Amino acid sequence: MSESESQSGLTTVFVDAKATKRRLKKAKLTVLDGPSAGQELEIDKELVTIGRSLICDLVLGDKAVSGTHCELIAKEKGFLLKDLDSTNGTKIGELHIREIWLRPGTVVTIGKTRVKFESLEGEVEIDLSQDDRYFDLVGRSVRMREIFAVLQKIAPTELTVLVRGETGTGKELVARAIHRGSQRQDKPLVVQDCSAIPSNLIESTLFGHERGSFTGATDRHRGSFEQANGGTIFLDEIGELEMSLQPKLLRVLENREIKRVGGDKVIPVDVRVVAATNRDLRQMVNEGTFREDLYYRLSVVQVELPPLRERSEDVPLLVEAFLEEFSRRNFPDDPSKLFTVARDAMAKLKSYPWPGNIRELKNTVERGASLGDGPELTVRDLMPTSQKTPAQPLPGGNAEQFVEDEVPFKEAKQKVLDTFEAAYLKALLDKHGHNVTRSAQAAGLTRYHLRELAKRYGVRDG
């Protein structure tokens, strides 16, 4: 057995070249002064947040501290402290910092409060699943097997789960896996996309309505929560939920009961809630666009899905799974109908950044299998669509191609939005000489949100 040498942070343990577990070096944060003087936080997970909000792991009473002010991330190299675009900044001495690797004994000023970082004796072991699949989720990378281990623990419980990740990373697959691994597996799983419902219908869609409660309500309607009674409800794109509806969702989470629109009767519902978002809800809490107490209720357990570009070692396994599924679906009577991928084509797939993540990879593989000339797929067969067709600022004229390729509406819409956002950000930053502050003010965004969007689209160096 060998162990990667590191003075950090996070260490990965290998047996016969396979990672078997991760070890987190124990450390703690101590508040030296200010309203929260004497408070301590022992670090026992890979990411902790610091700020004034109750959603943070270390909550500071200092009014100069932002809601979610900064975060501390354990990595192989050490502990990385990152400012989250706070109002009053994070400092070492008199120097404002965006991010810094901490050493034992380092004192950081957060707002007006000094916090000391110290290392402790001992380590916390982080389990890795020995499997490279969990239901329909596939991955052999350390990060994915760590997620599988977490899902295997929480699925049999009743804990509410918040899944975060970019579009196309598999958030709905996580929700389905949690449901299938729970005691509710034989009950309904109701999937509700909060971004796909008109604002005037979302309350009725979630909670139902009585006959005559509004124009067009000709019959009583059972909402998503009633339909999921006894099972699980998956609230996708929860960050799109309007502020006016957030208190009503909070009451459902707290009391497990609903009222239909136009009704007075309180209806109990027995549901497990899994929510997902591709937005930073912590930043939305800071901006006042998402309720702090609702975030607290939803994020009892958080699962952060990495983008595909950060786990390229999983690409061959994913490609194999997609090809097997394609063969079963299209050639059910011919089990010998198998596809392979040429070595240079697989190398290309692994090196491509996949802005559309797993969803884009799956579409690319299935298109290649459908249109390829033989059982071995080549580079030409597997060229991603985003490389074949140059991106247009607003590809509205490509709607026919989306339909022809059988791209789901939600995915097609996201591609258009992604292309627009990238073009808008590039033009915005060019106009303001890549000055983030002026660009953010002109666009009505926070500096942090603008920087994160720009990094996501590779518009400027992050």
Side-chain angles (χ1 to χ4, degrees):
M1 181 174 74
S2 66
E3 183 172 319
S4 62
E5 296 295 330
S6 174
Q7 48 184 354
S8 79
L10 202 58
T11 303
T12 305
V13 179
F14 294 87
V15 174
D16 297 330
K18 181 178 180 180
T20 57
K21 65 181 66 176
R22 306 184 93 186
R23 290 176 179 163
L24 175 68
K25 182 75 173 69
K26 285 187 177 181
K28 74 172 181 178
L29 297 170
T30 303
V31 183
L32 300 180
D33 49 26
S36 304
Q39 187 174 341
E40 293 183 348
L41 173 69
E42 186 169 318
I43 299 168
D44 58 1
K45 56 184 180 178
E46 295 173 53
L47 184 146
V48 297
T49 53
I50 306 166
R52 199 175 68 252
S53 171
L54 292 176
I55 68 177
C56 295
D57 299 290
L58 179 61
V59 180
L60 301 177
D62 180 358
K63 293 183 178 179
V65 173
S66 296
T68 307
H69 194 104
C70 56
E71 64 185 12
L72 186 60
I73 310 168
K75 294 179 175 285
E76 296 281 348
K77 184 178 176 181
F79 286 91
L80 180 66
L81 182 72
K82 296 177 66 175
D83 183 84
L84 298 177
D85 199 37
S86 62
T87 302
N88 295 308
T90 303
K91 297 191 293 184
I92 302 288
E94 295 301 316
L95 298 176
H96 283 265
I97 58 101
R98 285 181 59 187
E99 59 182 48
I100 191 170
W101 295 99
L102 296 181
R103 294 180 177 177
T106 301
V107 176
V108 183
T109 302
I110 300 171
K112 295 181 179 179
T113 299
R114 293 183 307 138
V115 178
K116 185 177 182 179
F117 171 78
E118 300 172 278
S119 58
L120 300 175
E121 292 296 324
E123 297 170 322
V124 177
E125 287 202 350
I126 300 172
D127 292 332
L128 301 181
S129 173
Q130 297 305 303
D131 303 319
D132 55 19
R133 293 172 184 257
Y134 185 65
F135 293 103
D136 293 330
L137 294 163
V138 176
R140 60 167 59 100
S141 61
V142 170
R143 185 72 187 97
M144 288 306 295
R145 291 196 291 120
E146 184 178 334
I147 290 172
F148 294 168
V150 171
L151 296 179
Q152 288 164 352
K153 287 181 180 178
I154 66 173
T157 72
E158 292 294 304
L159 295 172
T160 302
V161 182
L162 176 64
V163 188
R164 292 181 55 193
E166 295 178 8
T167 298
T169 49
K171 298 186 289 293
E172 184 174 331
L173 291 182
V174 172
R176 292 185 180 279
I178 290 172
H179 178 71
R180 290 171 66 183
S182 73
Q183 302 300 314
R184 299 172 177 262
Q185 58 184 298
D186 296 326
K187 300 295 183 179
L189 168 65
V190 175
V191 177
Q192 187 60 67
D193 183 355
C194 297
S195 69
I197 313 170
S199 58
N200 62 324
L201 294 178
I202 192 165
E203 184 175 2
S204 167
T205 301
L206 291 177
F207 308 129
H209 63 252
E210 297 291 350
R211 180 180 179 181
S213 56
F214 55 85
T215 302
T218 56
D219 293 295
R220 172 182 290 173
H221 170 68
R222 295 169 63 247
S224 301
F225 274 89
E226 279 190 85
Q227 295 172 35
N229 192 44
T232 305
I233 186 168
F234 174 52
L235 299 175
D236 198 7
E237 304 300 352
I238 191 68
E240 305 300 323
L241 194 65
E242 292 185 357
M243 281 291 289
S244 60
L245 278 175
Q246 291 179 23
K248 297 179 181 180
L249 177 58
L250 179 64
R251 285 197 293 273
V252 175
L253 295 176
E254 289 178 336
N255 303 324
R256 290 298 193 270
E257 57 187 27
I258 57 110
K259 278 187 181 180
R260 299 190 188 113
V261 176
D264 297 322
K265 182 181 177 182
V266 174
I267 303 170
V269 287
D270 171 24
V271 293
R272 182 181 189 175
V273 177
V274 179
T277 181
N278 61 5
R279 303 181 66 179
D280 188 344
L281 295 188
R282 300 172 307 174
Q283 184 65 21
M284 292 179 67
V285 170
N286 287 349
E287 295 169 350
T289 56
F290 200 85
R291 289 180 61 110
E292 179 182 78
D293 45 6
L294 178 57
Y295 177 89
Y296 195 74
R297 282 285 182 180
L298 290 171
S299 60
V300 177
V301 176
Q302 290 196 48
V303 175
E304 184 89 27
L305 289 176
L308 187 54
R309 62 183 174 273
E310 293 181 5
R311 55 182 188 108
S312 58
E313 65 265 46
D314 288 338
V315 168
L317 194 64
L318 287 163
V319 170
E320 179 184 334
F322 295 151
L323 288 175
E324 288 178 355
E325 179 187 345
F326 180 85
S327 294
R328 285 196 306 269
R329 187 171 66 245
N330 292 278
F331 307 101
D333 300 324
D334 186 2
S336 65
K337 186 71 173 179
L338 300 174
F339 293 88
T340 60
V341 177
R343 181 176 298 181
D344 59 340
M346 184 63 77
K348 285 278 189 183
L349 294 178
K350 289 183 66 176
S351 63
Y352 183 66
W354 298 109
N357 290 297
I358 297 172
R359 186 179 293 146
E360 183 183 3
L361 174 63
K362 183 176 183 180
N363 289 344
T364 298
V365 170
E366 292 194 347
R367 184 177 58 251
S370 297
L371 304 178
D373 295 328
E376 183 178 66
L377 305 182
T378 65
V379 171
R380 183 176 179 179
D381 297 325
L382 295 171
M383 181 74 73
T385 302
S386 51
Q387 285 193 350
K388 288 181 177 179
T389 306
Q392 301 296 321
L394 279 175
N398 291 344
E400 294 83 0
Q401 187 62 47
F402 286 144
V403 174
E404 184 178 336
D405 290 347
E406 297 186 353
V407 179
F409 171 78
K410 179 180 176 182
E411 181 184 343
K413 182 178 75 170
Q414 189 63 47
K415 286 185 176 183
V416 174
L417 290 175
D418 287 347
T419 306
F420 167 75
E421 287 184 356
Y424 180 90
L425 289 168
K426 184 179 186 305
L428 178 71
L429 289 163
D430 286 346
K431 178 180 178 180
H432 296 282
H434 282 251
N435 183 292
V436 175
T437 300
R438 289 201 301 269
S439 298
Q441 289 172 346
L445 301 170
T446 66
R447 290 170 61 243
Y448 173 79
H449 192 189
L450 178 64
R451 280 208 306 267
E452 290 301 303
L453 284 173
K455 282 191 290 184
R456 174 181 174 185
Y457 294 111
V459 176
R460 68 187 293 270
D461 186 358

